[in-house]
Amino acid sequence: MQTHLACLTQAELSEFVGSLGEPAYRARQIFAGVHARRLNSFAEMTDLPRELRAKLDTRAVISTLTLESRYISSDGTRRYLFKTLDNRPVETVFIPEERRDTICFSSQSGCPLQCTFCLTAQLGLLRNLTAGEIVEQIIVALNDAYGIGVKTPRGTNLVGMGAGEPFLNFDPLMKAIRIMKEPAGLHIVPNRITVSTAGIVPRIRELATISDRPHLAISLAAPNDELRDELMPINKKWPIEELLSACREFEKSLKRNERFTFEYVMLDGVNDSDEHARQLANLINRHRLHAKVNLIPHNPAEPLPYQPSSTERVESFRKILESKGVHAFVRRPRGRDILAACGQLAARSTAQGASEARP
Ligand code: SAH
């Protein structure tokens, strides 16, 4: 069994390197090779002696994901479709933005939740990803976007909003976040990361107790239990009242000026009326939450039975929230043409924007 290096913290890597009978500084070189220089082979780690590189080749692998295809949207968004060693799909999206680029990573292959508006749900849960499989997604996207090992021009934000429910894979996710924050490695601090959950209440409460943590987003999609039960069946386990009281506890743990976010997918004629907007604002205000709301026009995909709300509808909804003191923003869809937008990740190939696997 070969050791998967992208999966190891600095301390674990030191232990592994020690077990090979090598001094500690070799571990620092290897950690930098994997995470700062973002190299994909020991052969390229020319600061290591040839014999050590040969030994590493037999005992370890740097990465395990294979890039199967890469799709590039007309808006510049890139979608990567990987396969794990056991042939499970993993998708990652790179979103170029004016101020700072964003990488959207997956926490699971497929997803066990059955949100009716999300295409990933149709895969079911294939399996949880390891910390290393999460870290690797970021390494490949950074190398593709900027060049191998090239420093990110303006830093990068990460969002855990790809396939899967991050809070059903909590420990590997938090481990990946610890690995990525190392100054000697990727150096992406938790403050640059937002993790989105469909509402796994115990994990929201747990996150509230962790000090060095990512930002939180909660997918709401409906302002009452009746509708939310239908759109997001996880609501039957943790209904809105329980969810929002966990949110309240989380909010109490935030620093001044920090906010968490609600995401609200806008489904034409389903959850987008003025009355829904009033209910949503009342709900947030009744729980004395200061969260902001991101309105996400639905990204349609066959065979999902929904259409996006019209621009005017979204605007009217937003204005009602604002008039009741709830800050709301409309998210611009990105990468829809290559099935890279929110809720469109289902390991599909698209004729649009396809290119060879190796950039
Ligand atoms: N399971 C987590 C992480 C996925 S995040 C969660 O539910 O939060 C994906 C985000 O995209 C969620 O906010 C979800 O509500 C939204 N989404 C899912 N399907 C969508 C679709 N078809 N169009 C627009 N947004 C969608």
Side-chain angles (χ1 to χ4, degrees):
M1 182 67 185
Q2 290 180 310
T3 302
H4 180 195
L5 298 192
C7 216
L8 304 185
T9 61
Q10 247 178 337
E12 288 170 341
L13 184 65
S14 300
E15 208 171 295
F16 170 71
V17 168
S19 78
L20 299 179
E22 297 288 334
Y25 71 93
R26 293 292 180 212
R28 288 195 289 276
Q29 287 176 309
I30 297 169
F31 192 84
V34 175
H35 298 280
R37 301 167 69 198
R38 305 195 300 258
L39 301 173
N40 199 29
S41 74
F42 298 116
E44 293 162 284
M45 297 185 188
T46 46
D47 50 343
L48 304 178
R50 192 181 299 272
E51 312 78 71
L52 176 55
R53 283 183 265 154
K55 186 153 53 165
L56 286 168
D57 264 328
T58 64
R59 301 287 295 274
V61 287
I62 297 174
S63 56
T64 57
L65 295 181
T66 321
L67 185 59
E68 286 244 311
S69 1
R70 185 179 66 148
Y71 303 93
I72 303 183
S73 163
S74 56
D75 71 15
T77 300
R78 296 171 180 214
R79 175 166 67 98
Y80 307 92
L81 173 58
F82 301 94
K83 283 283 157 66
T84 62
L85 281 180
D86 56 341
N87 220 23
R88 306 296 192 185
V90 175
E91 285 170 290
T92 312
V93 179
F94 175 82
I95 308 150
E97 280 165 304
E98 265 152 45
R99 284 184 50 223
R100 182 168 289 149
D101 301 331
T102 299
I103 297 171
C104 177
F105 65 87
S106 294
S107 52
Q108 297 181 312
S109 178
C111 184
L113 305 183
Q114 292 170 328
C115 305
T116 55
F117 47 82
C118 180
L119 202 60
T120 311
Q122 312 215 340
L123 294 175
L125 176 64
L126 301 170
R127 74 164 166 80
N128 278 332
L129 299 185
T130 65
E133 287 166 338
I134 294 174
V135 172
E136 274 180 44
Q137 295 176 58
I138 314 305
I139 290 178
V140 173
L142 288 173
N143 279 347
D144 184 44
Y146 307 114
I148 293 172
V150 175
K151 207 163 174 285
T152 322
R154 292 152 298 179
T156 326
N157 289 335
L158 303 188
V159 292
M161 299 188 184
E165 169 48 51
F167 282 7
L168 291 178
N169 191 24
F170 196 74
D171 293 341
L173 170 77
M174 295 308 282
K175 183 178 184 188
I177 289 173
R178 279 201 307 281
I179 295 172
M180 292 192 292
K181 82 174 182 191
E182 285 298 342
L186 286 169
H187 201 186
I188 301 175
V189 294
N191 197 32
R192 284 277 176 83
I193 305 176
T194 301
V195 173
S196 178
T197 179
I200 311 298
V201 163
R203 296 310 199 183
I204 297 172
R205 293 186 184 279
E206 184 173 346
L207 195 70
T209 66
I210 299 174
S211 54
D212 198 12
R213 65 181 178 214
H215 297 284
L216 178 66
I218 312 256
S219 302
L220 209 50
N224 60 64
D225 281 327
E226 194 188 351
L227 184 56
R228 198 166 188 268
D229 278 351
E230 196 184 303
L231 299 176
M232 302 180 68
I234 190 76
N235 193 65
K236 293 177 192 153
K237 188 154 187 187
W238 290 293
I240 291 182
E241 284 302 305
E242 275 186 53
L243 176 58
L244 292 210
S245 65
C247 288
R248 174 82 187 133
E249 189 177 314
F250 182 80
E251 194 169 86
K252 282 196 207 139
S253 75
L254 288 173
K255 296 195 198 83
R256 254 161 60 93
N257 298 327
E258 270 187 338
R259 294 274 183 276
F260 74 93
T261 311
F262 284 118
E263 294 153 277
Y264 194 98
V265 53
M266 301 279 299
L267 309 167
D268 181 37
V270 175
N271 64 355
D272 64 349
S273 71
D274 288 352
E275 178 54 23
H276 290 126
R278 283 190 288 271
Q279 276 185 25
L280 178 59
N282 291 343
L283 185 69
I284 292 173
N285 289 331
R286 183 160 56 75
H287 284 268
R288 288 176 290 132
L289 295 169
H290 301 96
K292 59 185 166 95
V293 176
N294 279 339
L295 300 172
I296 315 176
H298 177 65
N299 296 306
E302 283 291 322
L304 300 177
Y306 303 104
Q307 289 303 316
S309 309
S310 69
T311 314
E312 301 75 54
R313 187 88 294 279
V314 176
E315 193 47 27
S316 161
F317 198 96
R318 189 188 68 78
K319 282 203 179 119
I320 293 173
L321 294 180
E322 289 282 349
S323 75
K324 290 175 171 285
V326 174
H327 290 305
F329 302 86
V330 180
R331 297 299 292 263
R332 188 163 50 109
R334 300 291 304 267
R336 267 185 184 168
D337 56 340
I338 54 160
L339 292 180
C342 296
Q344 290 188 317
L345 300 182
R348 290 195 185 166
S349 52
T350 46
Q352 200 91 16
S355 81
E356 76 293 354
R358 274 284 148 218

